[in-house]
Amino acid sequence: MSDKPVTVAVATYASKALAEQDFDTIHGVKHAGQIDHLAVAVVQKEADGTLSIDRHNTSAKHAAWGTGVLGGALTVISAPLGIVFLGPVVATGAVWAGVGGLAGHFWKNIPKDEVRKMGDLLERGAAGLVIVAVNPQGIDVEGLLTNAESVVASTGVGDAEGALDQAFEAARVAGSGDRGG
């Protein structure tokens, strides 16, 4: 996957229904084979102003990869939202290590001004999408989000799968060292 560009995008919407329409559109493009892997979440702003994940999905063959990639991106873009998302779905230390590796990877590879714009955008909208797409065909993810009020996207985020594999390996090695007497 190291030669395959990764796109991370955040879009905001006037309503959750409009966000869900674009959620379905982006999944349709994935199922048509135009995107290799996809992790996407519908975010909504609660009455008290906090953000919550209303719906999420991943096309990754391994649940840990999908959870890790989405959780890592969410944690970089909006740390409280990412941590709240990950708490109930991450069951093992290895997956937490993978999330940490991916969060570090995204932090290092997405320009900081884009990370800030993504987080600010989520905070301002009534609803939003967070998308991580392995995008070897260079599909215009922004162009697919026809119902969005605003979109911030970063493409060329690097080898996310390699970062996850390295984090899993580091967790495995660290875990084997803990077994001593």
Side-chain angles (χ1 to χ4, degrees), residues 41-80:
V42 175
V43 177
Q44 70 180 13
K45 187 172 280 186
E46 302 295 336
D48 66 359
T50 60
L51 297 174
S52 66
I53 303 290
D54 183 66
R55 176 180 175 192
H56 64 88
N57 202 337
T58 179
S59 66
K61 292 178 185 170
H62 303 289
W65 192 91
T67 299
V69 75
L70 184 58
L74 285 167
T75 301
V76 168
I77 295 165
S78 175

Side-chain angles (χ1 to χ4, degrees), residues 1 6 8 37-40 56-77 82-83 85-87 89-107 130-132 160-161 163-165 167-168:
M1 169 148 68
V6 176
V8 177
H37 299 293
L38 177 68
V40 61
H56 64 88
N57 202 337
T58 179
S59 66
K61 292 178 185 170
H62 303 289
W65 192 91
T67 299
V69 75
L70 184 58
L74 285 167
T75 301
V76 168
I77 295 165
I83 293 167
F85 165 73
L86 290 165
V89 295
V90 177
T92 68
V95 175
W96 275 111
V99 169
L102 281 164
H105 175 79
F106 290 136
W107 182 252
V130 176
I131 300 160
V132 182
E161 189 171 88
L164 182 66
D165 290 343
F168 283 159

Side-chain angles (χ1 to χ4, degrees), residues 8 77 110-119 152-155:
V8 177
I77 295 165
I110 301 173
K112 301 306 174 271
D113 62 322
E114 290 181 14
V115 169
R116 281 188 286 280
K117 287 177 187 174
M118 289 175 180
V152 176
S154 185
T155 299

